[in-house]
Amino acid sequence: MNVIIHDLNNEQFELLFPELNNNSHIIFDNGTIKSCIGCFGCWIKTPGKCVIKDGYDNIGELFSKADKVIVISKCFYGGFSPFVKNVLDRSIAYMLPFFRTVNKETHHKQRYDKSFKYCVHFYGENITEPEKETACSLVKANSINFCSEYVVSFSSSVNELVGEVDLI
């Protein structure tokens, strides 16, 4: 299964994915997502599932079933758009509350045996080289927490992503 997280409008999404199979779960902004409150309920009270019931409470479980997690986000100063960042913050349920050291950095331990490929596509006009470096570092750190291989790309517009986003 593919999980596609995006901040696109309907027209942009249809442009990138004119024909989607049933093997994809789409996460988009329907206006109901709440911010992670840092309660760690997804680790303690309801392991693997967020305690905030807003329709985005099962992201950890979705990631555990994914072969590929595809993120399409406008680049904001080397980071994700607010909506995409919120989704990724809420994905903390995918990991355990315990830590491990990787290359002298502290990261979460894996909750699930299965891992996925993490594909991040940033778009936006005039993304600077420092912003690209920051974004690449962020995606790399995410991938270590997710215990995943990753790829990251940059485009100046959503139109440039047509044919670049691979579902296989």
Side-chain angles (χ1 to χ4, degrees), residues 82-101:
F83 170 75
V84 170
K85 181 179 182 318
N86 205 358
V87 170
L88 293 174
D89 287 349
R90 297 281 298 278
S91 75
I92 197 165
Y94 177 74
M95 296 159 271
L96 288 169
F98 309 111
F99 298 103
R100 62 191 171 111
T101 302

Side-chain angles (χ1 to χ4, degrees), residues 30-102:
N30 67 11
T32 65
I33 193 168
K34 305 285 188 254
S35 296
C36 176
I37 59 173
C39 70
F40 303 114
C42 60
W43 285 341
I44 300 164
K45 295 178 185 174
T46 57
K49 194 160 181 125
C50 183
V51 298
I52 302 170
K53 304 302 178 211
D54 60 359
Y56 296 91
D57 49 302
N58 64 338
I59 296 169
E61 179 185 357
L62 284 172
F63 280 19
S64 75
K65 296 175 181 174
D67 298 310
K68 186 182 281 190
V69 172
I70 301 165
V71 176
I72 303 166
S73 175
K74 184 169 185 177
C75 189
F76 280 78
Y77 306 104
F80 298 106
S81 68
F83 170 75
V84 170
K85 181 179 182 318
N86 205 358
V87 170
L88 293 174
D89 287 349
R90 297 281 298 278
S91 75
I92 197 165
Y94 177 74
M95 296 159 271
L96 288 169
F98 309 111
F99 298 103
R100 62 191 171 111
T101 302
V102 179

Side-chain angles (χ1 to χ4, degrees), residues 123-163:
Y123 66 91
E125 294 180 17
N126 305 316
I127 302 172
T128 65
E129 286 306 312
E131 288 172 329
K132 288 179 181 180
E133 289 175 22
T134 299
C136 287
S137 295
L138 174 62
V139 171
K140 180 181 178 182
N142 289 162
S143 73
I144 292 170
N145 273 341
F146 293 147
C147 299
S148 299
E149 295 180 24
Y150 73 96
V151 294
V152 62
S153 72
F154 299 91
S155 300
S156 61
S157 70
V158 173
N159 290 347
E160 281 186 20
L161 289 172
V162 175

